[in-house]
Amino acid sequence: MTQMAIAAPRPRRRIRRDWAGWIFVGPFMAVFALVLIAPLIYAIYLSLWRETLIGGVSFVGLENYVKALEDPKFWEALARVTVFLLIQVPIMLAIALFAALALDSARLRWVPLFRLSIFLPYAVPGVVAVMIWGYMYGAQFGLVADINNWLGIKIPEPLSSSWIMVAIGNIVTWEFVGYNMLVFYAGLKAIPQELYEAAEIDGAGAIRTIFSIKLPGIRGAMIIATLFSIIGSFQLFNEPQMLASLVPNQISSYFTPNIYAFNLSFSGSMFNYAAAIAILSGIITMVVAFIAQNPEGLFTRKRKANSLEEEQA
């Protein structure tokens, strides 16, 4: 009788966890939690309370958020930065894209000098940039005043109520065109050379190469640049806040959501309501950035849902 050998169960191999990655990620995670997560949690905590001189501090739940949603100053500030976003961001990204395509065309001379000259304003601190442009905008003392005196004309004042948003948009564009140009330029350099060779064999010209290879190839870079620009527009603060010292009548205390939250907190001592304004602005920014990040997916899901409903009907 043959006895079947029963194999002894193999001992389970103990999986050893490798914690080496956390040695590199750990410092970043600690700083990230300290400077972003902790303040965010504290701001949410503050927004749920109300401090009064007589009643002290009391828990009010979402009352500050309801008050913010009914606040016309908050909506006016939000509408202002939305208009700023819709006009300034496309112009800035178009200029940056054009500059990146020019650099990548291999038809320019002194490319490093051209690249540095466009990127240099990004290295200038925002406060210094506003001071430079604020002086040039001056109709009584700056470049605009000199042009008026030399030519004997009166050009529109950039710091007047009609042109103040254009003036701010010009400063922001001047500051960040170089940064976005480098993002696009890096994306163009990452496109495989084989695609250009195939396009050349097929007889594609420069314009066809741009629209069929270069622009689709940097789609990811364009989304990233758009995302950062949207976030930056909703966080608009330095430029109008600095210009307010030159033209205080043109920059209100609620010119942008960030300025409104700043003045509520440090001028009005309304820390709890300011925290609610800040959290609400952050949520709106995240929603807009998410929609802008993947608009095709949003419409695709909607079309799929409509098709499914039609099939079921």
Side-chain angles (χ1 to χ4, degrees):
M1 182 176 181
T2 304
Q3 293 183 346
M4 297 180 61
I6 301 176
R10 299 177 61 182
R12 297 182 61 184
R13 187 177 179 181
R14 188 175 180 181
I15 300 175
R16 296 183 59 185
R17 293 185 178 275
D18 188 3
W19 299 95
W22 285 100
I23 297 176
F24 298 96
V25 179
F28 166 76
M29 295 298 294
V31 175
F32 182 77
L34 184 65
V35 303
L36 183 66
I37 302 299
L40 182 62
I41 294 175
Y42 185 61
I44 295 174
Y45 169 79
L46 281 179
S47 67
L48 302 177
W49 297 78
R50 181 179 58 191
E51 184 175 1
T52 57
L53 293 175
I54 299 177
V57 180
S58 57
F59 181 77
V60 295
L62 300 178
E63 183 180 301
N64 287 322
Y65 292 96
V66 175
K67 180 181 177 181
L69 292 174
E70 297 174 348
D71 189 346
K73 293 181 179 179
F74 172 68
W75 288 112
E76 183 180 334
L78 195 64
R80 188 175 289 112
V81 295
T82 302
V83 173
F84 179 84
L85 162 68
L86 295 176
I87 297 175
Q88 186 269 335
V89 169
I91 294 174
M92 177 182 65
L93 295 182
I95 297 173
L97 181 61
F98 181 80
L101 291 171
L103 285 174
D104 191 61
S105 66
R107 297 183 180 181
L108 286 179
R109 301 180 65 183
W110 304 304
V111 169
L113 180 62
F114 182 71
R115 185 172 56 217
L116 179 63
S117 62
I118 297 179
F119 181 75
L120 194 59
Y122 181 69
V124 177
V127 174
V128 177
V130 176
M131 292 175 65
I132 294 172
W133 281 100
Y135 177 77
M136 290 194 291
Y137 286 155
Q140 304 296 328
F141 50 82
L143 180 63
V144 173
D146 292 339
I147 293 175
N148 287 337
N149 293 332
W150 291 338
L151 302 179
I153 59 175
K154 185 173 178 58
I155 62 176
E157 297 182 13
L159 297 181
S160 63
S161 58
S162 303
W163 292 92
I164 188 66
M165 289 300 294
V166 178
I168 295 173
N170 179 56
I171 297 174
V172 175
T173 302
W174 181 78
E175 287 179 290
F176 292 99
V177 158
Y179 170 80
N180 291 295
M181 178 202 68
L182 283 188
V183 173
F184 295 149
Y185 186 60
L188 289 171
K189 287 300 179 186
I191 296 176
Q193 191 64 29
E194 292 79 7
L195 294 178
Y196 293 119
E197 295 173 357
E200 187 176 358
I201 293 173
D202 291 341
I207 302 299
R208 180 64 183 273
T209 303
I210 289 174
F211 285 98
S212 299
I213 294 179
K214 293 187 176 183
L215 294 185
I218 62 171
R219 183 176 179 275
M222 295 171 71
I223 292 175
I224 292 295
T226 303
L227 199 62
F228 287 166
S229 300
I230 290 173
I231 295 172
S233 296
F234 279 108
Q235 292 179 343
L236 188 64
F237 180 81
N238 286 338
E239 290 78 10
Q241 183 70 10
M242 288 296 298
L243 288 178
S245 60
L246 297 176
V247 282
N249 294 330
Q250 310 299 345
I251 308 292
S252 64
S253 60
Y254 52 92
F255 194 76
T256 69
N258 271 7
I259 290 180
Y260 190 31
F262 177 84
N263 287 319
L264 284 173
S265 179
F266 295 101
S267 298
S269 299
M270 300 173 66
F271 302 104
N272 306 100
Y273 186 47
I277 292 286
I279 296 297
L280 206 55
S281 300
I283 293 173
I284 293 173
T285 303
M286 284 194 301
V287 172
V288 174
F290 177 78
I291 294 173
Q293 186 178 6
N294 190 17
E296 296 177 359
L298 189 68
F299 292 118
T300 302
R301 286 194 292 271
K302 188 175 181 180
R303 283 198 297 268
K304 288 182 178 178
N306 293 335
S307 301
L308 185 61
E309 291 177 356
E310 291 175 359
E311 291 177 359
Q312 292 176 350

